[in-house]
Short mmCIF file of all heavy atoms in Angstrom, two decimals:
data_model
loop_
_atom_site.label_atom_id
_atom_site.label_comp_id
_atom_site.label_asym_id
_atom_site.label_seq_id
_atom_site.Cartn_x
_atom_site.Cartn_y
_atom_site.Cartn_z
N MET A 1 -80.35 45.01 61.42
CA MET A 1 -81.09 44.94 62.70
C MET A 1 -81.45 43.49 63.00
O MET A 1 -81.93 42.78 62.12
CB MET A 1 -82.39 45.75 62.61
CG MET A 1 -82.22 47.18 63.01
SD MET A 1 -83.81 47.97 63.19
CE MET A 1 -84.41 47.89 61.51
N PRO A 2 -81.25 43.07 64.21
CA PRO A 2 -81.62 41.70 64.59
C PRO A 2 -83.13 41.55 64.77
O PRO A 2 -83.81 42.51 65.10
CB PRO A 2 -80.89 41.48 65.91
CG PRO A 2 -80.69 42.84 66.47
CD PRO A 2 -80.59 43.78 65.30
N MET A 3 -83.57 40.34 64.59
CA MET A 3 -84.98 40.02 64.81
C MET A 3 -85.15 39.53 66.25
O MET A 3 -84.42 38.66 66.70
CB MET A 3 -85.41 38.93 63.83
CG MET A 3 -86.82 38.44 64.05
SD MET A 3 -88.03 39.43 63.18
CE MET A 3 -87.82 38.83 61.51
N TYR A 4 -86.12 40.08 66.93
CA TYR A 4 -86.38 39.66 68.30
C TYR A 4 -87.75 39.02 68.38
O TYR A 4 -88.66 39.38 67.65
CB TYR A 4 -86.32 40.86 69.24
CG TYR A 4 -84.95 41.44 69.39
CD1 TYR A 4 -84.62 42.64 68.77
CD2 TYR A 4 -83.98 40.79 70.15
CE1 TYR A 4 -83.35 43.18 68.91
CE2 TYR A 4 -82.72 41.33 70.29
CZ TYR A 4 -82.40 42.52 69.66
OH TYR A 4 -81.16 43.05 69.79
N GLU A 5 -87.86 38.08 69.30
CA GLU A 5 -89.15 37.45 69.56
C GLU A 5 -89.69 37.96 70.89
O GLU A 5 -88.96 38.06 71.86
CB GLU A 5 -89.01 35.93 69.63
CG GLU A 5 -88.72 35.29 68.29
CD GLU A 5 -88.73 33.77 68.39
OE1 GLU A 5 -89.13 33.26 69.45
OE2 GLU A 5 -88.34 33.14 67.43
N TYR A 6 -90.99 38.22 70.89
CA TYR A 6 -91.62 38.72 72.10
C TYR A 6 -92.84 37.88 72.43
O TYR A 6 -93.47 37.32 71.54
CB TYR A 6 -92.05 40.19 71.93
CG TYR A 6 -90.89 41.10 71.63
CD1 TYR A 6 -90.53 41.39 70.33
CD2 TYR A 6 -90.16 41.66 72.67
CE1 TYR A 6 -89.46 42.22 70.06
CE2 TYR A 6 -89.10 42.49 72.42
CZ TYR A 6 -88.74 42.78 71.11
OH TYR A 6 -87.69 43.59 70.84
N ARG A 7 -93.14 37.84 73.70
CA ARG A 7 -94.33 37.13 74.13
C ARG A 7 -95.09 38.00 75.11
O ARG A 7 -94.52 38.52 76.07
CB ARG A 7 -93.95 35.81 74.80
CG ARG A 7 -95.15 35.01 75.28
CD ARG A 7 -94.70 33.67 75.82
NE ARG A 7 -95.81 32.97 76.42
CZ ARG A 7 -96.21 33.13 77.67
NH1 ARG A 7 -95.57 33.96 78.46
NH2 ARG A 7 -97.23 32.46 78.15
N CYS A 8 -96.38 38.12 74.86
CA CYS A 8 -97.23 38.93 75.72
C CYS A 8 -97.62 38.13 76.95
O CYS A 8 -98.10 37.00 76.84
CB CYS A 8 -98.49 39.36 74.95
SG CYS A 8 -99.66 40.25 75.98
N GLU A 9 -97.41 38.72 78.11
CA GLU A 9 -97.76 38.03 79.35
C GLU A 9 -99.25 38.09 79.63
O GLU A 9 -99.77 37.34 80.45
CB GLU A 9 -97.01 38.68 80.52
CG GLU A 9 -95.50 38.61 80.41
CD GLU A 9 -94.98 37.22 80.72
OE1 GLU A 9 -95.09 36.78 81.86
OE2 GLU A 9 -94.46 36.56 79.79
N GLU A 10 -99.94 38.96 78.95
CA GLU A 10 -101.38 39.11 79.19
C GLU A 10 -102.20 38.10 78.40
O GLU A 10 -103.03 37.39 78.95
CB GLU A 10 -101.81 40.52 78.81
CG GLU A 10 -101.18 41.62 79.67
CD GLU A 10 -101.68 41.57 81.11
OE1 GLU A 10 -102.82 41.13 81.33
OE2 GLU A 10 -100.92 41.98 82.00
N CYS A 11 -101.95 38.05 77.10
CA CYS A 11 -102.78 37.18 76.25
C CYS A 11 -101.99 36.00 75.68
O CYS A 11 -102.55 35.15 75.02
CB CYS A 11 -103.42 37.99 75.13
SG CYS A 11 -102.25 38.55 73.86
N GLY A 12 -100.68 35.98 75.91
CA GLY A 12 -99.88 34.85 75.46
C GLY A 12 -99.47 34.92 74.00
O GLY A 12 -98.88 33.97 73.48
N ALA A 13 -99.75 36.01 73.34
CA ALA A 13 -99.40 36.12 71.92
C ALA A 13 -97.89 36.21 71.75
O ALA A 13 -97.18 36.80 72.56
CB ALA A 13 -100.05 37.37 71.33
N LYS A 14 -97.42 35.58 70.69
CA LYS A 14 -96.01 35.68 70.35
C LYS A 14 -95.87 36.42 69.03
O LYS A 14 -96.67 36.22 68.12
CB LYS A 14 -95.38 34.29 70.21
CG LYS A 14 -95.30 33.55 71.52
CD LYS A 14 -94.64 32.19 71.29
CE LYS A 14 -94.57 31.39 72.59
NZ LYS A 14 -93.99 30.05 72.38
N TYR A 15 -94.87 37.25 68.96
CA TYR A 15 -94.64 37.95 67.71
C TYR A 15 -93.17 38.29 67.58
O TYR A 15 -92.41 38.25 68.54
CB TYR A 15 -95.51 39.20 67.62
CG TYR A 15 -95.22 40.25 68.66
CD1 TYR A 15 -94.46 41.37 68.33
CD2 TYR A 15 -95.71 40.15 69.95
CE1 TYR A 15 -94.20 42.35 69.27
CE2 TYR A 15 -95.45 41.12 70.89
CZ TYR A 15 -94.70 42.23 70.54
OH TYR A 15 -94.43 43.20 71.46
N GLU A 16 -92.78 38.62 66.36
CA GLU A 16 -91.39 38.95 66.09
C GLU A 16 -91.31 40.39 65.58
O GLU A 16 -92.22 40.86 64.90
CB GLU A 16 -90.81 38.02 65.03
CG GLU A 16 -90.77 36.58 65.46
CD GLU A 16 -90.22 35.69 64.37
OE1 GLU A 16 -90.24 36.10 63.20
OE2 GLU A 16 -89.76 34.60 64.69
N GLN A 17 -90.21 41.02 65.90
CA GLN A 17 -90.01 42.37 65.42
C GLN A 17 -88.54 42.61 65.14
O GLN A 17 -87.68 42.13 65.87
CB GLN A 17 -90.47 43.38 66.49
CG GLN A 17 -91.83 43.95 66.22
CD GLN A 17 -92.22 45.02 67.21
OE1 GLN A 17 -91.45 45.36 68.09
NE2 GLN A 17 -93.40 45.55 67.05
N LEU A 18 -88.30 43.36 64.09
CA LEU A 18 -86.96 43.85 63.83
C LEU A 18 -86.76 45.12 64.63
O LEU A 18 -87.53 46.06 64.51
CB LEU A 18 -86.78 44.15 62.34
CG LEU A 18 -86.56 42.93 61.43
CD1 LEU A 18 -86.63 43.38 59.98
CD2 LEU A 18 -85.22 42.30 61.71
N ARG A 19 -85.74 45.09 65.46
CA ARG A 19 -85.48 46.27 66.29
C ARG A 19 -83.99 46.50 66.39
O ARG A 19 -83.19 45.57 66.28
CB ARG A 19 -86.02 46.05 67.70
CG ARG A 19 -87.50 46.33 67.83
CD ARG A 19 -87.94 46.04 69.24
NE ARG A 19 -89.31 46.49 69.45
CZ ARG A 19 -89.62 47.55 70.18
NH1 ARG A 19 -88.68 48.24 70.79
NH2 ARG A 19 -90.87 47.92 70.34
N ARG A 20 -83.66 47.74 66.64
CA ARG A 20 -82.26 48.02 66.95
C ARG A 20 -81.93 47.38 68.29
O ARG A 20 -82.78 47.29 69.17
CB ARG A 20 -82.03 49.53 67.06
CG ARG A 20 -82.24 50.26 65.77
CD ARG A 20 -82.07 51.75 66.00
NE ARG A 20 -82.57 52.52 64.87
CZ ARG A 20 -81.87 52.73 63.76
NH1 ARG A 20 -80.67 52.24 63.66
NH2 ARG A 20 -82.38 53.41 62.77
N MET A 21 -80.68 46.97 68.42
CA MET A 21 -80.27 46.33 69.66
C MET A 21 -80.51 47.24 70.87
O MET A 21 -80.90 46.80 71.94
CB MET A 21 -78.79 45.97 69.56
CG MET A 21 -78.47 44.61 70.13
SD MET A 21 -76.79 44.13 69.74
CE MET A 21 -77.05 43.24 68.21
N SER A 22 -80.27 48.52 70.67
CA SER A 22 -80.42 49.46 71.79
C SER A 22 -81.88 49.69 72.14
O SER A 22 -82.19 50.24 73.19
CB SER A 22 -79.75 50.79 71.44
OG SER A 22 -80.32 51.33 70.26
N GLU A 23 -82.78 49.27 71.25
CA GLU A 23 -84.21 49.51 71.49
C GLU A 23 -84.97 48.21 71.69
O GLU A 23 -86.20 48.19 71.59
CB GLU A 23 -84.82 50.28 70.30
CG GLU A 23 -84.20 51.64 70.12
CD GLU A 23 -84.74 52.33 68.86
OE1 GLU A 23 -85.44 51.68 68.08
OE2 GLU A 23 -84.44 53.52 68.68
N ALA A 24 -84.24 47.14 71.96
CA ALA A 24 -84.87 45.82 72.01
C ALA A 24 -85.96 45.74 73.08
O ALA A 24 -86.93 45.02 72.92
CB ALA A 24 -83.82 44.75 72.26
N ASP A 25 -85.80 46.48 74.15
CA ASP A 25 -86.72 46.34 75.28
C ASP A 25 -87.50 47.62 75.59
O ASP A 25 -88.09 47.73 76.65
CB ASP A 25 -85.94 45.93 76.53
CG ASP A 25 -85.42 44.51 76.41
OD1 ASP A 25 -86.19 43.64 75.98
OD2 ASP A 25 -84.25 44.28 76.74
N VAL A 26 -87.51 48.54 74.67
CA VAL A 26 -88.21 49.79 74.95
C VAL A 26 -89.53 49.84 74.19
O VAL A 26 -89.65 49.33 73.08
CB VAL A 26 -87.36 51.03 74.59
CG1 VAL A 26 -86.07 51.01 75.41
CG2 VAL A 26 -87.06 51.07 73.12
N ASN A 27 -90.52 50.43 74.84
CA ASN A 27 -91.83 50.66 74.21
C ASN A 27 -92.44 49.37 73.66
O ASN A 27 -93.00 49.36 72.58
CB ASN A 27 -91.71 51.70 73.09
CG ASN A 27 -91.31 53.05 73.62
OD1 ASN A 27 -91.66 53.41 74.73
ND2 ASN A 27 -90.56 53.79 72.84
N LEU A 28 -92.33 48.32 74.45
CA LEU A 28 -92.93 47.06 74.01
C LEU A 28 -94.44 47.13 74.15
O LEU A 28 -94.95 47.63 75.15
CB LEU A 28 -92.39 45.91 74.86
CG LEU A 28 -90.90 45.65 74.73
CD1 LEU A 28 -90.48 44.53 75.67
CD2 LEU A 28 -90.53 45.31 73.30
N GLU A 29 -95.12 46.65 73.13
CA GLU A 29 -96.58 46.64 73.19
C GLU A 29 -97.10 45.48 72.38
O GLU A 29 -96.72 45.27 71.24
CB GLU A 29 -97.13 47.96 72.64
CG GLU A 29 -98.62 48.08 72.82
CD GLU A 29 -99.12 49.44 72.35
OE1 GLU A 29 -98.71 50.46 72.91
OE2 GLU A 29 -99.93 49.46 71.41
N CYS A 30 -97.99 44.72 72.99
CA CYS A 30 -98.56 43.57 72.31
C CYS A 30 -99.44 44.03 71.14
O CYS A 30 -100.30 44.89 71.33
CB CYS A 30 -99.40 42.76 73.30
SG CYS A 30 -100.30 41.41 72.54
N PRO A 31 -99.23 43.48 69.95
CA PRO A 31 -100.03 43.88 68.80
C PRO A 31 -101.45 43.33 68.86
O PRO A 31 -102.31 43.76 68.11
CB PRO A 31 -99.26 43.28 67.61
CG PRO A 31 -98.55 42.10 68.18
CD PRO A 31 -98.20 42.47 69.60
N VAL A 32 -101.68 42.37 69.75
CA VAL A 32 -103.00 41.75 69.83
C VAL A 32 -103.88 42.49 70.82
O VAL A 32 -104.99 42.92 70.50
CB VAL A 32 -102.87 40.27 70.24
CG1 VAL A 32 -104.24 39.63 70.38
CG2 VAL A 32 -102.04 39.52 69.20
N CYS A 33 -103.40 42.65 72.06
CA CYS A 33 -104.24 43.24 73.10
C CYS A 33 -103.76 44.62 73.54
O CYS A 33 -104.43 45.29 74.31
CB CYS A 33 -104.31 42.30 74.30
SG CYS A 33 -102.77 42.17 75.23
N GLY A 34 -102.58 45.03 73.06
CA GLY A 34 -102.10 46.37 73.39
C GLY A 34 -101.43 46.46 74.75
O GLY A 34 -101.03 47.55 75.17
N SER A 35 -101.27 45.35 75.43
CA SER A 35 -100.63 45.36 76.73
C SER A 35 -99.14 45.67 76.59
O SER A 35 -98.50 45.32 75.60
CB SER A 35 -100.80 44.01 77.41
OG SER A 35 -99.97 43.92 78.54
N GLN A 36 -98.59 46.32 77.61
CA GLN A 36 -97.15 46.57 77.61
C GLN A 36 -96.41 45.56 78.47
O GLN A 36 -95.22 45.68 78.69
CB GLN A 36 -96.88 48.00 78.11
CG GLN A 36 -97.46 49.04 77.15
CD GLN A 36 -97.10 50.44 77.57
OE1 GLN A 36 -96.88 50.71 78.74
NE2 GLN A 36 -97.04 51.33 76.60
N ASN A 37 -97.15 44.58 78.93
CA ASN A 37 -96.54 43.51 79.72
C ASN A 37 -96.00 42.43 78.78
O ASN A 37 -96.54 41.34 78.66
CB ASN A 37 -97.59 42.93 80.68
CG ASN A 37 -96.98 41.96 81.67
OD1 ASN A 37 -95.75 41.86 81.77
ND2 ASN A 37 -97.81 41.25 82.38
N VAL A 38 -94.94 42.78 78.08
CA VAL A 38 -94.38 41.93 77.04
C VAL A 38 -92.94 41.59 77.39
O VAL A 38 -92.19 42.44 77.85
CB VAL A 38 -94.43 42.63 75.66
CG1 VAL A 38 -93.72 41.81 74.60
CG2 VAL A 38 -95.87 42.90 75.26
N ARG A 39 -92.60 40.33 77.18
CA ARG A 39 -91.24 39.90 77.46
C ARG A 39 -90.51 39.50 76.19
O ARG A 39 -91.09 38.86 75.32
CB ARG A 39 -91.25 38.69 78.39
CG ARG A 39 -91.51 39.06 79.82
CD ARG A 39 -91.22 37.88 80.69
NE ARG A 39 -91.25 38.22 82.10
CZ ARG A 39 -90.86 37.40 83.05
NH1 ARG A 39 -90.43 36.20 82.74
NH2 ARG A 39 -90.90 37.76 84.30
N ARG A 40 -89.27 39.83 76.13
CA ARG A 40 -88.48 39.41 74.99
C ARG A 40 -88.02 37.97 75.20
O ARG A 40 -87.56 37.61 76.28
CB ARG A 40 -87.25 40.31 74.83
CG ARG A 40 -86.54 40.08 73.51
CD ARG A 40 -85.32 40.95 73.40
NE ARG A 40 -84.28 40.47 74.29
CZ ARG A 40 -83.36 41.23 74.85
NH1 ARG A 40 -83.37 42.51 74.65
NH2 ARG A 40 -82.43 40.72 75.62
N GLN A 41 -88.15 37.15 74.17
CA GLN A 41 -87.71 35.77 74.25
C GLN A 41 -86.28 35.65 73.75
O GLN A 41 -85.80 36.49 73.00
CB GLN A 41 -88.62 34.89 73.37
CG GLN A 41 -90.09 35.04 73.69
CD GLN A 41 -90.43 34.49 75.05
OE1 GLN A 41 -90.42 33.30 75.27
NE2 GLN A 41 -90.74 35.39 76.00
N VAL A 42 -85.62 34.60 74.17
CA VAL A 42 -84.28 34.34 73.66
C VAL A 42 -84.40 33.90 72.20
O VAL A 42 -85.16 32.99 71.89
CB VAL A 42 -83.60 33.24 74.49
CG1 VAL A 42 -82.23 32.93 73.90
CG2 VAL A 42 -83.47 33.68 75.93
N SER A 43 -83.69 34.56 71.36
CA SER A 43 -83.84 34.30 69.93
C SER A 43 -83.09 33.04 69.52
O SER A 43 -82.26 32.51 70.25
CB SER A 43 -83.34 35.48 69.11
OG SER A 43 -81.94 35.50 69.14
N ALA A 44 -83.40 32.59 68.31
CA ALA A 44 -82.82 31.34 67.82
C ALA A 44 -81.31 31.44 67.71
O ALA A 44 -80.60 30.47 67.99
CB ALA A 44 -83.42 30.99 66.47
N CYS A 45 -80.81 32.57 67.31
CA CYS A 45 -79.38 32.69 67.11
C CYS A 45 -78.66 32.64 68.46
O CYS A 45 -77.52 32.19 68.55
CB CYS A 45 -79.04 33.96 66.36
SG CYS A 45 -79.57 35.46 67.17
N ALA A 46 -79.32 33.09 69.51
CA ALA A 46 -78.70 33.03 70.83
C ALA A 46 -78.65 31.59 71.33
O ALA A 46 -77.70 31.16 71.96
CB ALA A 46 -79.46 33.89 71.82
N ILE A 47 -79.71 30.83 71.01
CA ILE A 47 -79.75 29.43 71.42
C ILE A 47 -78.64 28.65 70.72
O ILE A 47 -77.98 27.81 71.32
CB ILE A 47 -81.13 28.81 71.09
CG1 ILE A 47 -82.20 29.47 71.96
CG2 ILE A 47 -81.11 27.30 71.30
CD1 ILE A 47 -83.60 29.04 71.60
N GLY A 48 -78.44 28.95 69.43
CA GLY A 48 -77.41 28.26 68.67
C GLY A 48 -76.00 28.66 69.09
O GLY A 48 -75.05 27.97 68.76
N GLY A 49 -75.88 29.75 69.81
CA GLY A 49 -74.57 30.23 70.21
C GLY A 49 -74.06 29.50 71.44
O GLY A 49 -74.50 28.40 71.78
N SER A 50 -73.15 30.12 72.13
CA SER A 50 -72.50 29.46 73.25
C SER A 50 -73.38 29.52 74.50
O SER A 50 -74.16 28.62 74.78
CB SER A 50 -71.14 30.10 73.52
OG SER A 50 -71.28 31.52 73.59
N SER A 51 -73.30 30.61 75.24
CA SER A 51 -74.05 30.69 76.49
C SER A 51 -74.89 31.95 76.51
O SER A 51 -74.78 32.80 75.63
CB SER A 51 -73.10 30.69 77.68
OG SER A 51 -72.39 31.90 77.70
N SER A 52 -75.71 32.07 77.53
CA SER A 52 -76.56 33.24 77.63
C SER A 52 -75.77 34.46 78.05
O SER A 52 -76.25 35.57 77.97
CB SER A 52 -77.68 32.98 78.63
OG SER A 52 -77.13 32.69 79.89
N SER A 53 -74.55 34.26 78.52
CA SER A 53 -73.76 35.41 78.96
C SER A 53 -73.39 36.29 77.77
O SER A 53 -73.39 37.51 77.87
CB SER A 53 -72.49 34.96 79.68
OG SER A 53 -71.71 34.16 78.82
N SER A 54 -73.12 35.65 76.63
CA SER A 54 -72.79 36.45 75.47
C SER A 54 -74.02 37.18 74.96
O SER A 54 -73.92 38.24 74.36
CB SER A 54 -72.21 35.57 74.36
OG SER A 54 -73.18 34.65 73.92
N TRP A 55 -75.18 36.59 75.20
CA TRP A 55 -76.41 37.24 74.76
C TRP A 55 -76.67 38.51 75.56
O TRP A 55 -77.00 39.54 75.02
CB TRP A 55 -77.57 36.27 74.90
CG TRP A 55 -78.90 36.91 74.73
CD1 TRP A 55 -79.81 37.19 75.70
CD2 TRP A 55 -79.48 37.39 73.51
NE1 TRP A 55 -80.92 37.79 75.17
CE2 TRP A 55 -80.74 37.94 73.83
CE3 TRP A 55 -79.04 37.42 72.20
CZ2 TRP A 55 -81.56 38.51 72.86
CZ3 TRP A 55 -79.87 37.98 71.24
CH2 TRP A 55 -81.11 38.51 71.56
N SER A 56 -76.49 38.42 76.85
CA SER A 56 -76.79 39.58 77.69
C SER A 56 -75.86 40.74 77.40
O SER A 56 -76.20 41.89 77.63
CB SER A 56 -76.72 39.20 79.17
OG SER A 56 -75.45 38.70 79.48
N SER A 57 -74.68 40.44 76.91
CA SER A 57 -73.76 41.52 76.58
C SER A 57 -74.09 42.13 75.22
O SER A 57 -73.51 43.11 74.82
CB SER A 57 -72.31 41.02 76.59
OG SER A 57 -72.13 40.08 75.55
N GLY A 58 -75.01 41.50 74.51
CA GLY A 58 -75.47 42.07 73.26
C GLY A 58 -74.63 41.69 72.06
O GLY A 58 -74.83 42.21 70.98
N GLY A 59 -73.71 40.77 72.22
CA GLY A 59 -72.86 40.40 71.09
C GLY A 59 -73.21 39.06 70.52
O GLY A 59 -74.01 38.32 71.06
N GLY A 60 -72.62 38.73 69.41
CA GLY A 60 -72.74 37.39 68.84
C GLY A 60 -74.04 37.13 68.13
O GLY A 60 -74.37 35.99 67.88
N CYS A 61 -74.78 38.14 67.79
CA CYS A 61 -76.07 37.90 67.14
C CYS A 61 -76.27 38.83 65.96
O CYS A 61 -77.37 39.25 65.69
CB CYS A 61 -77.20 38.04 68.14
SG CYS A 61 -78.77 37.39 67.51
N ALA A 62 -75.22 39.17 65.29
CA ALA A 62 -75.36 40.09 64.16
C ALA A 62 -75.88 39.34 62.94
O ALA A 62 -75.41 38.24 62.65
CB ALA A 62 -74.01 40.71 63.85
N PRO A 63 -76.85 39.88 62.26
CA PRO A 63 -77.36 39.24 61.06
C PRO A 63 -76.33 39.24 59.94
O PRO A 63 -75.59 40.20 59.77
CB PRO A 63 -78.58 40.10 60.68
CG PRO A 63 -78.29 41.42 61.28
CD PRO A 63 -77.52 41.14 62.55
N ARG A 64 -76.28 38.14 59.21
CA ARG A 64 -75.35 38.06 58.09
C ARG A 64 -76.12 38.18 56.79
O ARG A 64 -76.69 37.21 56.30
CB ARG A 64 -74.65 36.71 58.08
CG ARG A 64 -73.72 36.49 59.24
CD ARG A 64 -73.00 35.19 59.00
NE ARG A 64 -72.32 34.74 60.22
CZ ARG A 64 -71.83 33.51 60.33
NH1 ARG A 64 -71.96 32.67 59.34
NH2 ARG A 64 -71.23 33.13 61.43
N GLY A 65 -76.16 39.34 56.26
CA GLY A 65 -76.84 39.53 54.99
C GLY A 65 -78.30 39.12 55.08
O GLY A 65 -78.80 38.76 56.13
N GLY A 66 -78.97 39.15 53.97
CA GLY A 66 -80.36 38.74 53.98
C GLY A 66 -81.29 39.86 54.44
O GLY A 66 -82.37 40.00 53.93
N PHE A 67 -80.83 40.64 55.38
CA PHE A 67 -81.64 41.77 55.83
C PHE A 67 -81.26 43.02 55.06
O PHE A 67 -80.08 43.35 54.95
CB PHE A 67 -81.42 42.01 57.31
CG PHE A 67 -82.04 40.95 58.16
CD1 PHE A 67 -81.25 40.10 58.89
CD2 PHE A 67 -83.41 40.80 58.21
CE1 PHE A 67 -81.81 39.12 59.69
CE2 PHE A 67 -83.97 39.82 59.01
CZ PHE A 67 -83.18 38.98 59.74
N SER A 68 -82.21 43.68 54.56
CA SER A 68 -81.90 44.93 53.89
C SER A 68 -83.10 45.86 53.99
O SER A 68 -84.17 45.42 54.35
CB SER A 68 -81.53 44.70 52.44
OG SER A 68 -82.60 44.10 51.76
ZN1 ZN B 1 -101.36 40.59 74.40
#
């Protein structure tokens, strides 16, 4: 599972979560204030990659080992 970064639009808190790709944007909730006004940030692996177009298609960000 890839690690995603999220930022709460209400209180500005940032946090990371391991989520399935298909669930990256569902049931988001800030762990600090409980708001559901949370945005997913572009992850580090996407920045290191080519363009944002590959990110939106959901490819090019598979974890290589280390996660278990
Ligand atoms: Zn919050």
